[in-house]
Amino acid sequence: MRTAVVQHGLIHNDPDVDPIFRLLHAEKKTSTDEEFNVMAPTVVLGKGTYSPWNSQNTLFSRRAFFTLYLPITAPSSWVADLIRSYFAQKLLHMIDENVAFYPPNVRRTTKSHDLLAEFEGQRDAFLKYEEIIKFLDSWECTHKEISTCTVLLAVEFSKKGFWGSADAEMIRKWIDHLHSIGYQFPRKSNHIKYIPREDIRGANCRRANVEFEADGFDEQKSADKLRMFANIDDWCTKSGENYTGQNNTEKIKRNKTSI
């Protein structure tokens, strides 16, 4: 798998948690002091899998440059980049590219603020995320150029009420401007449409690729990484039980016994 064209590094404290989590866990003076595991492996989301990311600590490569646009009609600045992330992921899937989430490499210190007001500013958007994903899964663009598909998707977002008509117009101008400066849009993929499968065990896990960083041998660090990978495997196993009723760990144990 190629290096993801959009790379989001997690941020210690609260940028990568939602306002509901903050309301439940924030300190009175320092907001949320959330720590992420620095040993966690990079997770690359595959085609047909969506996850929001914010605009902080996020790297866009040249091939993803056309997805940089941030909506101006979002309910609040807190959700503009989140809505953009769903919009961008659909377009990236259409050019056979991916988004990756990396372990934390920065810390943000945030002063205490009105978390309830922040939640109110994001509530309407929260209610639309599931609808956005369902729409993206079903939407297809028959045009050959990804630049045209970008404009068409922006118009559909406007019609669905995910953002306003001003954003559809601004994206048209954004794409026109990229053409005018000679930006080379990536070619649209000709691959067969991805069909999500939620009726089989492990479907939630197979769409992601886990990468371990090769940076020399460190026994403790290697042990931590293996532990983190085991945690991911446990999560996959538990998520699969809902579909088959059979625990994958038990299957592995039986296979080892038979050998």
Side-chain angles (χ1 to χ4, degrees):
M1 179 177 286
R2 297 192 303 272
T3 300
V5 294
V6 174
Q7 302 171 22
H8 175 66
L10 296 182
I11 306 171
H12 286 307
N13 289 357
D14 68 356
D16 288 308
V17 296
D18 61 43
I20 297 176
F21 185 94
R22 293 175 188 144
L23 282 170
L24 294 174
H25 300 281
E27 299 293 334
K28 292 183 178 180
K29 295 182 179 180
T30 60
S31 189
T32 307
D33 187 20
E34 186 67 15
E35 294 284 332
F36 296 98
N37 195 310
V38 297
M39 297 297 181
T42 299
V43 175
V44 183
L45 300 185
K47 193 173 183 179
T49 303
Y50 300 89
S51 178
W53 75 79
N54 62 54
S55 58
Q56 303 172 64
N57 201 28
T58 302
L59 174 67
F60 287 71
S61 74
R62 184 179 181 85
R63 280 178 59 81
F65 194 78
F66 71 101
T67 66
L68 273 170
Y69 175 82
L70 280 169
I72 59 175
T73 62
S76 72
S77 59
W78 289 311
V79 299
D81 49 0
L82 304 182
I83 295 175
R84 184 270 302 273
S85 69
Y86 289 112
F87 178 80
Q89 283 173 93
K90 178 64 176 184
L91 297 169
L92 294 176
H93 295 166
M94 294 168 65
I95 60 171
D96 270 348
E97 295 294 358
N98 307 90
V99 177
F101 291 83
Y102 285 74
N105 58 0
V106 68
R107 180 181 302 276
R108 176 184 171 184
T109 302
T110 306
K111 293 182 179 180
S112 181
H113 56 281
D114 191 339
L115 295 175
L116 186 59
E118 181 183 3
F119 169 72
E120 289 294 337
Q122 299 189 39
R123 183 173 58 178
D124 290 343
F126 275 134
L127 298 176
K128 290 181 179 178
Y129 289 152
E130 183 176 0
E131 184 181 352
I132 290 175
I133 293 173
K134 288 181 178 179
F135 165 71
L136 292 176
D137 269 339
S138 63
W139 186 77
E140 295 184 51
C141 180
T142 58
H143 201 279
K144 294 181 179 180
E145 301 296 330
I146 192 65
S147 58
T148 303
C149 291
T150 303
V151 175
L152 293 175
L153 183 57
V155 171
E156 290 300 318
F157 260 49
S158 175
K159 291 180 179 179
K160 294 288 184 180
F162 301 149
W163 59 34
S165 58
D167 279 311
E169 178 61 20
M170 286 296 292
I171 283 187
R172 184 188 64 78
K173 293 180 178 179
W174 162 247
I175 296 301
D176 286 345
H177 183 67
L178 289 177
H179 278 300
S180 70
I181 63 175
Y183 174 74
Q184 297 296 314
F185 285 86
R187 290 185 178 182
K188 187 183 171 190
S189 170
N190 293 321
H191 289 182
I192 298 174
K193 178 185 175 183
Y194 177 82
I195 301 176
R197 291 292 306 276
E198 298 294 348
D199 58 336
I200 55 177
R201 189 194 65 76
N204 293 326
C205 299
R206 280 199 295 274
R207 300 184 208 159
N209 177 58
V210 178
E211 298 177 351
F212 288 101
E213 179 183 357
D215 55 357
F217 180 74
D218 183 309
E219 185 174 354
Q220 183 58 50
K221 192 172 183 179
S222 297
D224 289 338
K225 287 185 176 182
L226 288 173
R227 176 175 54 80
M228 291 301 300
F229 186 80
N231 290 341
I232 294 175
D233 181 63
D234 288 342
W235 180 84
C236 290
T237 300
K238 291 177 182 178
S239 69
E241 291 175 3
N242 295 329
Y243 300 105
T244 65
Q246 187 175 31
N247 187 305
N248 193 48
T249 303
E250 293 300 321
K251 287 176 62 179
I252 294 174
K253 288 180 180 178
R254 286 199 297 273
N255 289 337
K256 287 183 177 179
T257 302
S258 62
I259 293 173

